[in-house]
Amino acid sequence: MATIDGIVSGLGTGALIDSLIALQAGQQTLLSQKKATASSMVTALQALNTKVASLAEHAATAAKPATWQAVTAAVTQPGTATAAPGTTPGAPGAGAAGATATVRTGAQIGTLSFRVTAVAQSQASLVELPATFASTTPSFTITRGGQDVTVTAASSSVPDLVDAFNAPGTGVRATAVKVAVLDGEGRATGETTYRLQLTGTETGAAHAFTVAHDGADLTLGSVRTASDSAITLFPGSPSEQTLTSASTTFEGVMTGVDLVVTAVTAPGAEPLTLDVTRDQAAARTLAAGLVTNLTTVLSEIGSRTRATTGTAADGGTLVTGGIFAGNTAVRLLQQNILAQGSMPVGGTSPSDVGIVLGKDGTFTFDQAVFDAAMAADPEKVATVLQGVAARLAETAKAASDPISGTLTLSVTAQQGTVRDLGDRIAEWDDRLAARRASLERTYASLETTLSGLQSQAGYLSSYLASSTPSTSS
């Protein structure tokens, strides 16, 4: 119902009703403030929970013994350039060792000396084609590894012959090469022609091939002979022996280690050495990552707990605690993380292996200390860091578990509070709307009553005035 300010009474009824509603809406305002605070808490707890879950995941990985067994392989040779950090010796730009190595799961630390005596290659041959063909669609038989494959060309033209040999499954790739036509004495006539070059698609002696036409082998001009790779293990020792491979890769030459040869070891050159060592860079990254996750969680808690200083309405100093100030669950989590990250493992402090807790309650990673500890006793470092990581993984998991984690439950509780406050605020909206309607009806009725009273007063005044006798002079 629309309210018209007191036409009869002269009262500002609209402003009066607004003041009364504002007074009664104080409780709703308090509820809205509580909802805003609870919503901010939900957002803050969710952000923290995400970071704690990341810590739990990284720590769980770092707690696995296999994680600390990562190894790296390098091939070196006295007299060749040393590989730059982060490169593989033997690769382009990383020295001329003539071989590279890669590690797989289960690779073990060890050393192997060897020489590369041959690098596998595929056969490449020039085919002497007949001057004429008995058929307009000539056929050829390629024999490779005891298996025969027949190819038939659409015509005797060089392009069609190339297409026929390049069909899937032939085991060769063909290309036409322009060459000079020679006379009977081997001199160039000035004319050119095309010869067919066939190259095997696979390396190794077992993949050598011959080509026949009309039952007769064609003459093949050798460009490259199919051959296996070969390495000599333990060269110069009584245990020296040769290992061959149809490709350039020797799989499992050591446990979990594959070797790829790229060049023959020069005569008189020193043998190559394959070293499989602990991957210190990977271990360093793992330890540094653990500290980074620790720091992220503690910084998140610290920034949202830290008090801020402002000026009160009376000019005094106003100190306001962070949103996590007084939150028991967050405080306990902070204390547990600090304790689990700094307690000794087997009598060794984490600070002795590079995880340092400062006086300000923050963790830092001391790479120099870590590297020195790894050089002195890598097994001890791994044991300490696995212990620290296992404790942190358990603590972080207990807080961030998506079902039973303490932070997760806190988020759920705060979300319930937000919903409850929202419902109560909505109830107040209805209550205040009803109160406003009631006040509007009351003041409208007041104006109507006053209007009636004024009409009656006017009538009585007129009546009395007309009923009074006039006085003659």
Side-chain angles (χ1 to χ4, degrees), residues 9 15 21 34 59 79 129 175-176 236 269 284 308 328 340 355 367 376 404 430 433 462 469:
S9 66
I21 293 298
K34 289 182 179 180
L129 296 172
T175 184
R284 185 188 302 122
T308 57
T328 304
Q340 302 304 338
I355 298 182
Q367 181 175 321
S404 60
D430 295 338
S462 299

Side-chain angles (χ1 to χ4, degrees), residues 19-35 420-429 431-432:
S19 298
L20 291 172
I21 293 298
L23 182 62
Q24 295 183 356
Q27 183 64 30
Q28 186 188 44
T29 301
L30 291 175
L31 291 174
S32 296
Q33 292 173 349
K34 289 182 179 180
K35 180 183 177 183
D420 178 63
L421 290 170
D423 292 340
R424 292 170 65 184
I425 291 170
E427 290 174 359
W428 266 100
D429 285 337
R431 188 181 305 173
L432 292 173

Side-chain angles (χ1 to χ4, degrees), residues 20 26 87 170 185:
L20 291 172
T87 63
T170 63
E185 297 181 358

